[in-house]
Amino acid sequence: MLKRYVALLGMAVALVAAAPAHAVDLAKGRTNLPDLVFGDDQGNDYAVSQKDIELEAGKSYRLDIVSKGGKEYKFFSPEFFRNIWINQIVINHLEIHGPGSPHHLEWDDAGAIRLEFVVIRPGEFKWWIDGLEGHGMTGRIIAK
């Protein structure tokens, strides 16, 4: 019995040691998504470039979320943030790395925040601009 256990343990260790050689780096080869833009060049502070964003679970993406600067925009999507792995958040070529997800993203002025992430679980996740939902600043992120 002990020999069998040792043999199984040895096989398990060998499999674990070999796994990284076959692992895929999901953060590489990411797809650039169309920018999600709040406000427009004609002065409509409540314009949204797209309401729905479609993704595939297990794939890597880059999304620039852009404010044209007309309002203070607070982007909320807690379920989305809980169901992705964030490689990095980039603001003005400055990178934020770390475990966990943000509570929300906020713009006080014009500018872009870039999210680089991998979708972990499929689902339909609502997003909204806090306080501006009544102006149509809502949408969905659909991960299949």
Side-chain angles (χ1 to χ4, degrees):
M1 176 83 170
L2 184 58
K3 281 186 177 183
R4 178 180 260 176
Y5 176 74
V6 171
L8 287 173
L9 183 60
M11 288 176 21
V13 169
L15 285 173
V16 170
H22 302 291
V24 175
D25 186 352
L26 292 176
K28 293 190 181 203
R30 63 184 66 86
T31 299
N32 291 319
L33 296 168
D35 294 353
L36 176 58
V37 182
F38 306 135
D40 65 21
D41 294 329
Q42 289 74 41
N44 181 356
D45 295 335
Y46 306 111
V48 176
S49 63
Q50 58 187 324
K51 297 282 191 163
D52 293 340
I53 300 170
E54 293 193 13
L55 311 170
E56 286 184 53
K59 293 201 173 181
S60 179
Y61 294 94
R62 177 181 290 144
L63 173 64
D64 286 355
I65 307 176
V66 181
S67 163
K68 293 289 185 167
K71 296 273 182 204
E72 177 182 75
Y73 299 112
K74 294 180 183 178
F75 177 86
F76 281 82
S77 189
E79 292 300 316
F80 173 65
F81 287 139
R82 277 194 284 275
N83 288 286
I84 63 174
W85 169 78
I86 297 175
N87 182 46
Q88 65 183 359
I89 299 173
V90 182
I91 304 167
N92 292 330
H93 304 288
L94 303 171
E95 301 173 1
I96 300 168
H97 299 268
S101 60
H103 181 263
H104 69 280
L105 304 175
E106 183 174 338
W107 293 257
D108 292 330
D109 294 308
I113 297 176
R114 171 172 287 166
L115 289 176
E116 294 184 7
F117 60 93
V118 175
V119 180
I120 303 299
R121 281 190 203 112
E124 186 173 306
F125 313 112
K126 294 179 184 178
W127 68 262
W128 66 93
I129 302 301
D130 196 49
L132 301 178
E133 302 94 317
H135 294 280
M137 299 197 81
T138 63
R140 301 175 303 160
I141 300 170
I142 303 153
K144 297 178 180 180

